[in-house]
Amino acid sequence: LPGNPPVQTKKALKQRFLKLLPCCRPKSIPSLSESKAVLVSATLSSPGFLADSVEDEFELSTVCHRPEGLEQLQEQTKFTRKELQVLYRGFKNECPSGIVNEENFKQIYSQFFPQGDSSTYATFLFNAFDTDHDGSVSFEDFVSGLSTILRGTIDDRLNWAFNLYDLNKDGCITKEEMLDIMKSIYDMMGKYTYPAMREEAPREHVENFFQKMDRNKDGVVTIEEFLESCQKDENIMRSMQLFDSVI
């Protein structure tokens, strides 16, 4: 949202999105079609949580955090039972304890940006997923955020993005906050890109953002200004719609 990247195909976006999300890497999360045989043979009506076998029950008994019941997560998110099972298998492969802390989150995220430093941006993203601010992201936190991003309304998705940019969670975005976000993105992309990124580019990007979003010119962007500006921007609306049917 800070800029207007070129529109990508749904397939390309899906591959990139799943790679960027910690605990949801392609090697850990097969497609729904690839998982069909596993899911059909699973005991889908088993009591408890997402366990489909004795082995799963044993693994769940050893984790630090047991997620909520499957039915409850279905009610709280817009994922189906099968989708939640597939997502949980991937999450547990990366996070056997059932939760991921900030350092682990940053470590996982850094694997996809070896040419740059993604630690600061990963911290911002971690804080957006850690909605109860307890210093960890559980499976519930993860699928709740993912459900909003992928299956939420346009307003849901824009509100989630606003929360990501509102670093101190005071209800408005300042130039300093947006500059921190932009610097973290440029750091993540690396210094050896082609064409080379200019040092003043992040600040210029922030000025463009505020020129578009700060409608009353008071130096901050409120959620109302953010929503109104984004909804009038065809490029942003098109990028929001690309998330439809990613999973």
Side-chain angles (χ1 to χ4, degrees), residues 156-173:
D156 290 337
R157 299 174 192 184
L158 291 175
N159 272 283
W160 197 92
F162 182 88
N163 180 64
L164 171 65
Y165 303 147
D166 179 14
L167 300 182
N168 66 358
K169 313 306 178 192
D170 66 349
C172 61
I173 302 172

Side-chain angles (χ1 to χ4, degrees), residues 11 47 76 106 122 150 200 232:
K11 182 177 180 181
Q76 294 172 349
K106 290 193 291 188
L150 300 181
E200 64 274 17
K232 292 181 179 179

Side-chain angles (χ1 to χ4, degrees), residues 57-228:
E57 289 285 6
F58 175 75
E59 287 185 34
L60 285 172
S61 70
T62 62
V63 300
C64 297
H65 173 79
R66 283 181 66 109
E68 296 172 358
L70 178 56
E71 290 74 17
Q72 188 171 350
L73 283 177
Q74 279 184 269
E75 293 176 0
Q76 294 172 349
T77 69
K78 297 184 180 181
F79 292 125
T80 66
R81 185 185 189 95
K82 290 183 179 181
E83 289 170 333
L84 285 168
Q85 287 182 310
V86 172
L87 288 168
Y88 183 67
R89 289 181 187 280
F91 187 92
K92 130 177 129 169
N93 282 345
E94 292 292 345
C95 316
S97 67
I99 57 175
V100 58
N101 61 29
E102 183 179 333
E103 288 306 311
N104 290 336
F105 191 96
K106 290 193 291 188
Q107 184 177 9
I108 295 170
Y109 206 78
S110 68
Q111 297 176 41
F112 302 104
F113 297 93
Q115 76 278 15
D117 180 2
S118 64
S119 60
T120 302
Y121 185 79
T123 293
F124 298 151
L125 191 60
F126 177 86
N127 290 335
F129 274 101
D130 180 19
T131 55
D132 55 4
H133 310 297
D134 65 353
S136 64
V137 172
S138 65
F139 182 66
E140 296 95 322
D141 295 330
F142 178 66
V143 294
S144 176
L146 203 59
S147 176
T148 299
I149 296 168
L150 300 181
R151 302 284 169 81
T153 65
I154 294 297
D155 279 358
D156 290 337
R157 299 174 192 184
L158 291 175
N159 272 283
W160 197 92
F162 182 88
N163 180 64
L164 171 65
Y165 303 147
D166 179 14
L167 300 182
N168 66 358
K169 313 306 178 192
D170 66 349
C172 61
I173 302 172
T174 65
K175 285 189 176 183
E176 289 75 17
E177 287 174 318
M178 185 52 67
L179 183 59
D180 286 343
I181 288 282
M182 290 311 307
K183 284 182 177 179
S184 72
I185 293 174
Y186 277 74
D187 287 344
M188 180 170 60
M189 298 308 296
K191 297 180 179 179
Y192 304 104
T193 58
Y194 181 84
M197 294 182 182
R198 295 176 296 108
E199 186 175 347
E200 64 274 17
R203 192 172 295 278
E204 291 176 358
H205 212 133
V206 171
E207 291 301 324
N208 291 335
F209 175 90
F210 270 78
Q211 184 175 2
K212 178 186 296 185
M213 300 282 180
D214 184 13
R215 294 184 172 272
N216 64 358
K217 307 304 177 185
D218 65 349
V220 299
V221 173
T222 64
I223 183 61
E224 292 80 14
E225 289 175 319
F226 185 78
L227 290 176
E228 182 181 356

